[in-house]
Amino acid sequence: MQNPDRQGPSGVDEEDRQFETSVQRHPAPSVNERPLSAASSFSGSTLDAVAQRVLWLSTAIIDAANRGRETPGGIKVGGHQSSSASMVGIMTALWFAELGSKDRVSVKPHASPVLHAINYLLGDLDEEYLPTLRSKGGLQSYPSRSKDPDTVDFSTGSVGIGATAPVWAALSRRYLRDHFELPEGGRFYSLLGDAEMDEGAVWEAIIDPEVRQLGDVVWIVDLNRQSLDRVIPDVQIQRLQGMFAAADWQVLTCTWGKRLQRLFSQPGGELLRRRLEEMPNQEYQRLLRSHPEEAAARLLGEGPDPQLAELVSSLEPRDLAEALRDLGGHDIQELLATYQKIDDTRPTVIFAYTIKGRGLATEGHPSNHAAQLTEEQMRELAALSGTNLDSPWGRFPEGTDEAALCSETAQRLSRPPVPQTSGIPVPQELKWKHKQQTSTQATLGRLLSDLKRADPTNARRIVTVSPDVASSTNLGGWINKTGVWSLSERRDWFSDDDETVLHWQENPHGQHIELGISEVNLVSLIGELGATWSRWGEPLAPIGVLYDPFVPRALEPWMFGTYAGGQSILVGTPSGVSLAPEGGAHQSMNTPSIGISTPGLDYWEPAFAQDLEWSLLEAISHLGRPGGRSAYFRLSTRPVEQSLAALPEDPALWERRRRQALAGGYRISTHPADKDDVVLVGAGAVIPNLCEAAETLDTHGVKAGIVNVTSPSRLFQAMRSRDSLEPGPGTAILEQLFPTAHPAPLITVLDGHPHALSFLAGVRGDRTRTLGVTEYGQSSSLPEAHALHGIDAGTITSAALDSLGR
């Protein structure tokens, strides 16, 4: 019995207390006579018993983290007992009766305790972890593929991103199957909450043309009709169903359990169905919170139909209360019957009606999102679940049907170890020279084509992806050489048109994937393509190309992909105000800061074609292996005179230059560092401006050193490593570029926000002036754009003289 002094999500309201004082308590554990059970059937079947134990364990995991652990700093641990409870039936039916070893499942973030509870019952998680939710070294707040100690197929937590990940994993597996020997089989399930239907990422994924052919994709929506703050007034299920159907998805609905279905077949049953279906969500939730003795009156309302009243009056109050909770998402047999209807020729969505907090004292409460059960309520739940709060982690005793089911399920879901991979051993450099004047964007397409020619075996693992910008980002030659991948062969009706430069040959053997204009889909896909080495032992080198200003739009899903272990290369091109005529928001400024601050990422902004060749091959070599890293390239459309790089001809010096470029930068000055009066430091498209400024300064008797930064992030890592703040790639490059014995003022220049290079002032404590883009751009010529933002040769010259007091 609940403590009558407690109110809100962990207690009962005033009306509940009034009934509590006047009604004899039912012998089974309950709250205010409301029946509590994880399952709808109350049948005592083996699967129902397992579901009840899963409910207990998932709730106890959160309880132990909050009541059983000190919280230094006074910050609550948190957790979502009610959000977990609504998923128990869905996940129990799926794991213990439906899944195979080749299936992969993404679990909604707030249901992570249910996943850990199931893994524990299957022997995939040690008991020592159960009290460690949200603690250091313990179970993560949300499912984490890289940080949790048990089997997690997809990291979730970023709303909408984890839900769509199985779509891109399914597409990645199809790609692998078409290019390498990979057995067929396995579905990709996504378990998501109905509130996630508000996320744009969900609908961007659903409507992509390639997705409609993925019959191995199944989404199960936990339709509990509650969000964080409230009961959702109107879920508009018909609208959601119509949107999925319009995208060629199979739509299934698991609404009512068997008990209610039997009532619907009786006289007055159709009236009962109509009443429940037309009832607003808030009214239904309030009905759930009612004492069984008042449920009939609330259900019938004013002036009820006599036939409906007769049906309702034939039920005992307790039976009526149980029937009203009999939703399809908690009826395991109804769920299994629904799973059998899945059409494997197209993607499927199942809307499973559930109750948030099902089986808990907080069941149906409008504020139950983060509510915690009291100790008394936990003891009631333990009794109902056949365990006790003082020894909460018991598995089913040997010899019971439940223990046998757990053992059989563990064997069925057992997976062979994933073969270890060592990455993609591409060459360190290619043998072909570059044009004397070219841009890094133009070089990208040629490099990929040259790599295909130089090393076809490893180049077959490269897959490029773009959101309808392949031609404008110079991938045309690569696409002509490799073709476009599609799930089925499509005829190129322009193949005989001599004026068509880009040949769109679509077949299951192509190496370029073209998506619709959705940056979220792009980075989500390259994240999953970049995880194939750890899922199936086949490494790929996914290279996603998009306009650099749209990198921030794709940042959240891309970061989440890297967090989940997806190793990929993202190319932002064209970038900066050097894309002068485009103007406005098409001139990116803050992306360099993103490149430096994103974990597990190397950010490259090469100025010269040879630098891009070295760094791109280096980035590919870090993909598809344990400890690998992702990369971000910021390229430009500005043609640059390649002789400015002053490439050495001596083989030893050439190799030294390559190593310096990969370490983060090199000097292109004609004099040694000890002669520097000032040092001009830049990256990418502004290097010609630095060279022009150095020549002007020389006429004024000022020796200006020039440092070409190829990777700001690697120099930042080197500085952090030097200061013993984190492991790094080596610190020698810092002394080579900025020798301690010869300090000089620094002028940093970037076609991006100056913040991204300002850290260089800390290398040896030099006085520093930072030039870069701090305002939105406008359409102009290239010289006008650089002058407008103060990154032209004249401004650089003036800043250098000012730093010297001249």
Side-chain angles (χ1 to χ4, degrees):
M1 181 77 65
Q2 285 191 315
N3 186 332
D5 295 330
R6 294 192 176 95
Q7 298 185 24
S10 294
V12 294
D13 56 30
E14 181 64 28
E15 192 173 8
D16 288 335
R17 283 200 298 272
Q18 292 173 1
F19 277 94
E20 201 167 64
T21 59
S22 61
V23 181
Q24 179 65 33
R25 176 185 168 87
H26 192 280
S30 61
V31 174
N32 193 23
E33 292 293 326
R34 291 191 292 269
L36 297 179
S37 172
S40 278
S41 65
F42 294 86
S43 66
S45 71
T46 301
L47 275 172
D48 286 346
V50 171
Q52 190 65 42
R53 185 61 59 91
V54 170
L55 174 66
W56 164 255
L57 287 170
S58 59
T59 307
I61 286 171
I62 300 170
D63 180 71
N66 288 274
R67 289 196 311 106
R69 193 164 71 219
E70 292 185 7
T71 55
I75 300 175
K76 71 173 185 177
V77 176
H80 302 86
Q81 291 175 334
S82 295
S83 295
S84 292
S86 65
M87 287 294 299
V88 166
I90 293 170
M91 293 178 66
T92 300
L94 197 61
W95 259 262
F96 289 90
E98 182 69 17
L99 290 182
S101 61
K102 293 181 180 179
D103 296 328
R104 300 293 183 267
V105 188
S106 171
V107 177
K108 79 170 189 177
H110 292 163
S112 63
V114 182
L115 176 61
H116 298 311
I118 290 174
N119 283 340
Y120 173 65
L121 290 177
L122 298 181
D124 188 39
L125 182 67
D126 291 337
E127 181 179 321
E128 64 182 283
Y129 286 105
L130 297 181
T132 68
L133 180 69
R134 300 187 173 199
S135 66
K136 182 180 178 181
L139 301 176
Q140 299 300 298
S141 54
Y142 308 123
S144 173
R145 193 167 173 261
S146 58
K147 297 183 182 297
D148 271 317
D150 51 339
T151 299
V152 175
D153 292 331
F154 295 94
S155 296
T156 58
S158 185
V159 179
I161 305 305
T164 60
V167 170
W168 309 117
L171 202 65
S172 299
R173 194 181 188 285
R174 290 282 191 97
Y175 182 91
L176 274 184
R177 195 182 68 191
D178 286 342
H179 292 79
F180 304 94
E181 294 183 4
L182 196 69
E184 293 190 23
R187 285 176 177 163
F188 294 85
Y189 291 88
S190 181
L191 311 181
L192 64 159
D194 49 2
E196 287 191 84
M197 293 287 98
D198 292 339
E199 286 292 327
V202 167
W203 299 105
E204 288 181 73
I206 287 168
I207 65 174
D208 190 87
E210 296 291 350
V211 172
R212 62 190 293 269
Q213 302 180 64
L214 296 177
D216 43 0
V217 168
V218 179
W219 284 16
I220 305 175
V221 180
D222 173 15
L223 202 70
N224 61 42
R225 292 161 289 174
Q226 283 188 243
S227 62
L228 191 152
D229 292 326
R230 60 177 182 150
V231 176
I232 300 172
D234 182 8
V235 172
Q236 297 181 337
I237 181 63
Q238 290 81 12
R239 180 175 60 88
L240 294 175
Q241 290 170 326
M243 293 170 72
F244 275 96
D248 291 332
W249 284 54
Q250 179 192 23
V251 180
L252 300 174
T253 304
C254 189
T255 309
W256 310 113
K258 293 289 193 293
R259 182 187 298 249
L260 267 178
Q261 291 181 41
R262 286 193 293 269
L263 285 177
F264 293 157
S265 66
Q266 297 179 21
E270 191 56 38
L271 294 171
L272 175 61
R273 178 199 292 271
R274 190 183 312 158
R275 170 73 172 114
L276 291 174
E277 289 180 349
E278 295 176 354
M279 182 181 295
N281 291 334
Q282 298 101 319
E283 184 181 2
Y284 175 72
Q285 301 290 94
R286 186 62 187 91
L287 187 57
L288 294 177
R289 297 295 301 171
S290 301
H291 188 283
E293 292 289 347
E294 72 165 336
R298 285 186 175 273
L299 176 63
L300 292 173
E302 297 181 2
D305 185 284
Q307 196 173 30
L308 175 59
E310 183 178 354
L311 174 62
V312 171
S313 64
S314 70
L315 301 173
E316 292 294 328
R318 174 85 179 192
D319 293 335
L320 177 61
E322 289 179 356
L324 292 174
R325 288 159 168 72
D326 189 31
L327 298 186
H330 303 298
D331 188 322
I332 290 178
Q333 296 307 317
E334 186 67 17
L335 284 164
L336 293 177
T338 304
Y339 297 159
Q340 293 304 306
K341 299 176 184 177
I342 293 172
D343 178 2
D344 286 327
T345 66
R346 55 181 174 149
T348 296
V349 60
I350 300 172
F351 290 99
Y353 279 75
T354 62
I355 301 169
K356 193 169 183 176
R358 172 69 196 197
L360 305 181
T362 55
E363 183 179 86
H365 197 289
S367 301
N368 64 8
H369 183 77
Q372 305 287 321
L373 299 191
T374 65
E375 180 178 346
E376 185 176 356
Q377 292 165 352
M378 285 296 297
R379 293 193 182 279
E380 289 181 330
L381 179 62
L384 180 62
S385 305
T387 182
N388 66 82
L389 184 60
D390 299 321
S391 180
W393 312 125
R395 290 188 173 97
F396 292 108
E398 290 295 326
T400 62
D401 291 341
E402 292 80 7
L405 177 59
C406 291
S407 177
E408 293 165 5
T409 302
Q411 293 178 23
R412 170 167 45 83
L413 298 183
S414 177
R415 300 172 182 172
V418 177
Q420 289 294 308
T421 64
S422 56
I424 305 170
V426 293
Q428 292 182 341
E429 59 184 16
L430 305 176
K431 59 183 179 181
W432 296 284
K433 293 185 177 181
H434 298 280
K435 293 182 178 180
Q436 279 304 302
Q437 191 172 56
T438 188
S439 69
T440 48
Q441 177 178 289
T443 300
L444 174 67
R446 288 197 298 271
L447 279 177
L448 293 174
S449 297
D450 287 346
L451 181 57
K452 182 80 171 178
R453 181 167 43 146
D455 188 6
T457 299
N458 288 304
R460 68 193 287 255
R461 295 192 177 274
I462 294 175
V463 51
T464 57
V465 187
S466 68
D468 200 33
V469 294
S471 56
S472 57
T473 52
N474 286 81
L475 291 183
W478 162 259
I479 292 173
N480 286 343
K481 186 181 290 289
T482 63
V484 177
W485 179 73
S486 65
L487 293 169
S488 58
E489 187 137 4
R490 297 169 183 162
R491 181 173 178 178
D492 179 9
W493 290 96
F494 290 88
S495 60
D496 58 350
D497 186 345
D498 295 336
E499 297 182 4
T500 300
V501 177
L502 181 60
H503 298 291
W504 212 254
Q505 301 172 10
E506 296 182 79
N507 57 68
H509 307 294
Q511 288 182 247
H512 174 77
I513 302 176
E514 188 87 354
L515 300 174
I517 301 179
S518 169
E519 289 78 15
V520 171
N521 286 354
L522 168 81
V523 297
S524 298
L525 177 55
I526 64 174
E528 286 301 324
L529 288 166
T532 58
W533 66 274
S534 58
R535 292 198 191 280
W536 301 290
E538 290 286 357
L540 292 174
I543 302 175
V545 180
L546 78 167
Y547 294 159
D548 195 64
F550 304 139
V551 167
R553 185 185 298 177
L555 181 59
E556 182 196 4
W558 189 39
M559 287 183 65
F560 215 76
T562 60
Y563 167 76
Q567 299 165 7
S568 60
I569 296 173
L570 186 64
V571 179
T573 184
S575 66
V577 298
S578 294
L579 186 62
E582 288 286 341
H586 270 61
Q587 297 176 333
S588 55
M589 70 175 96
N590 63 345
T591 49
S593 299
I594 291 172
I596 288 181
S597 62
T598 302
L601 183 70
D602 288 323
Y603 152 45
W604 303 90
E605 187 159 354
F608 301 108
Q610 189 60 60
D611 297 343
L612 176 56
E613 176 184 319
W614 285 329
S615 55
L616 181 62
L617 294 172
E618 167 81 355
I620 293 173
S621 73
H622 281 270
L623 301 177
R625 60 182 176 84
R629 294 177 65 83
S630 294
Y632 162 51
F633 284 82
R634 194 168 184 262
L635 305 186
S636 174
T637 52
R638 183 187 191 184
V640 172
E641 175 57 47
Q642 300 300 298
S643 62
L644 294 176
L647 287 166
E649 296 183 1
D650 180 88
L653 295 179
W654 177 279
E655 174 60 16
R656 181 174 184 268
R657 169 66 66 85
R658 187 186 72 84
R659 292 180 180 275
Q660 287 181 327
L662 297 184
Y666 55 86
R667 290 176 58 90
I668 55 176
S669 314
T670 57
H671 59 267
D674 61 358
K675 302 298 183 183
D676 288 343
D677 295 316
V678 65
V679 182
L680 311 180
V681 186
V686 299
I687 291 298
N689 299 356
L690 269 66
C691 294
E692 182 181 346
E695 290 181 0
T696 302
L697 288 168
D698 190 58
T699 64
H700 291 277
V702 176
K703 292 291 185 183
I706 301 175
V707 172
N708 175 26
V709 176
T710 53
S711 174
S713 69
R714 287 206 164 183
L715 292 185
F716 184 71
Q717 292 163 24
M719 194 171 80
R720 297 267 297 172
S721 178
R722 180 201 64 184
D723 298 337
S724 301
L725 296 174
E726 65 178 52
T731 62
I733 188 65
L734 297 178
E735 186 64 21
Q736 293 170 15
L737 300 183
F738 309 103
T740 307
H742 306 290
L746 301 183
I747 310 298
T748 64
V749 191
L750 188 65
D751 188 357
H753 199 282
H755 157 267
L757 292 181
S758 62
F759 72 91
L760 292 172
V763 173
R764 61 184 180 188
D766 297 313
R767 287 178 290 117
T768 303
R769 295 189 175 219
T770 58
L771 306 182
V773 181
T774 59
E775 300 289 341
Y776 293 113
Q778 58 181 279
S779 297
S780 65
S781 68
L782 179 63
E784 289 171 333
H786 283 187
L788 177 66
H789 295 279
I791 57 175
D792 60 310
T795 304
I796 296 170
T797 301
S798 178
L801 292 173
D802 289 346
S803 71
L804 296 171
R806 300 193 184 185

